[in-house]
Amino acid sequence: MISYIKGSLQEISGEFLIVETGGIGYQIQVPFSMLSEMAVGEEIKVYTYFSMGQDQVPRLYGFSAREDLEVFKLLIGVSGVGPKGAMGVLSAISPEELQFAVLSEDAKTIARAPGVGLKTAKKLILELKDKFKLEEAFERKRNCGGDLTGGKSGALSKDVRGEAVQALTALGYSGAEAMRAVNQVEEAEAFTVEELLKAALRHMTRF
């Protein structure tokens, strides 16, 4: 089993990278979003998944972060979704967006992926919703450069609504959208920030 490959990026062709290490060039299929991060000649580390297709052709799928690889593995664990379909999903939306879409039951966002209709998107949500945790999704988003809670913790505070609105606007929603979604949640003060965010995200999908 190949856990990762570290070497010199020799070529970018379509959705594939050619990475040379130890005198061997490995062809690795990666999400389209990852291609913009790469430059030929640089030293890179790619976390990989090996698959033998139904056509008996061995393939390597690669990701820039181990966490992204784990999301890929969860996707291919869904019945009817193979490596090609999972790569299509992660080429259309980021692993962080996928987690938020699953947690907020936003099938429309997942259905943006090529070859994924609403029926398949709803199936993904059903099978993955217990595999993701909101706090982990926000931590990943924060590590990618977004401050989701205004620097505050997710514990109960005097203004959980305000913190939730700040978190939603940090994700790219407008202030009006964020405020409207948070205000749709009844008895919000009894929630932790994470609980309120999860409930508000559900309302976001209805606007």
Side-chain angles (χ1 to χ4, degrees):
M1 180 64 68
I2 302 173
S3 179
Y4 65 84
I5 294 173
K6 185 177 182 181
S8 174
L9 177 57
Q10 296 296 307
E11 184 179 341
I12 300 175
S13 178
E15 57 191 335
F16 294 94
L17 306 178
I18 305 296
V19 182
E20 181 182 347
T21 182
I24 300 174
Y26 294 90
Q27 178 177 281
I28 309 169
Q29 184 177 348
V30 300
F32 287 117
S33 58
M34 185 174 164
L35 297 174
S36 61
E37 305 170 0
M38 304 296 175
V40 172
E42 69 176 344
E43 189 84 1
I44 63 172
K45 183 177 183 180
V46 183
Y47 294 92
T48 58
Y49 179 86
F50 175 84
S51 175
M52 182 66 74
Q54 293 182 347
D55 54 6
Q56 298 304 304
V57 175
R59 293 179 174 85
L60 278 175
Y61 299 90
F63 304 89
S64 56
R66 192 184 299 276
E67 293 83 1
D68 295 350
L69 173 60
E70 294 306 314
V71 172
F72 175 80
K73 290 179 179 178
L74 287 175
L75 278 171
I76 62 177
V78 175
S79 57
V81 179
K84 182 178 179 180
M87 188 61 73
V89 170
L90 295 178
S91 288
I93 59 177
S94 70
E96 294 81 20
E97 289 177 313
L98 174 64
Q99 290 183 56
F100 282 116
V102 168
L103 289 167
S104 62
E105 300 181 10
D106 182 3
K108 290 183 179 179
T109 291
I110 300 173
R112 284 172 13 206
V116 178
L118 280 175
K119 183 177 180 180
T120 301
K122 290 176 181 178
K123 185 177 183 180
L124 284 172
I125 290 171
L126 181 64
E127 297 197 28
L128 294 179
K129 64 181 179 180
D130 294 330
K131 305 289 179 64
F132 294 139
K133 294 181 179 179
L134 187 64
E135 56 270 25
E136 292 178 358
F138 272 85
E139 183 63 28
R140 280 172 55 79
K141 187 72 174 179
R142 182 166 28 241
N143 291 339
C144 290
D147 182 3
L148 301 173
T149 59
K152 301 175 184 178
S153 71
L156 282 171
S157 72
K158 294 181 179 179
D159 188 11
V160 291
R161 289 181 186 269
E163 290 193 43
V165 169
Q166 288 180 10
L168 289 169
T169 54
L171 286 173
Y173 294 105
S174 71
E177 290 175 329
M179 182 66 71
R180 187 162 67 249
V182 169
N183 286 340
Q184 289 286 325
V185 181
E186 297 181 0
E187 299 180 354
E189 288 76 14
F191 288 53
T192 64
V193 173
E194 284 81 6
E195 289 170 344
L196 180 53
L197 284 169
K198 188 172 182 178
L201 281 166
R202 291 198 185 98
H203 286 290
M204 283 290 192
T205 65
R206 301 171 190 169
F207 295 157

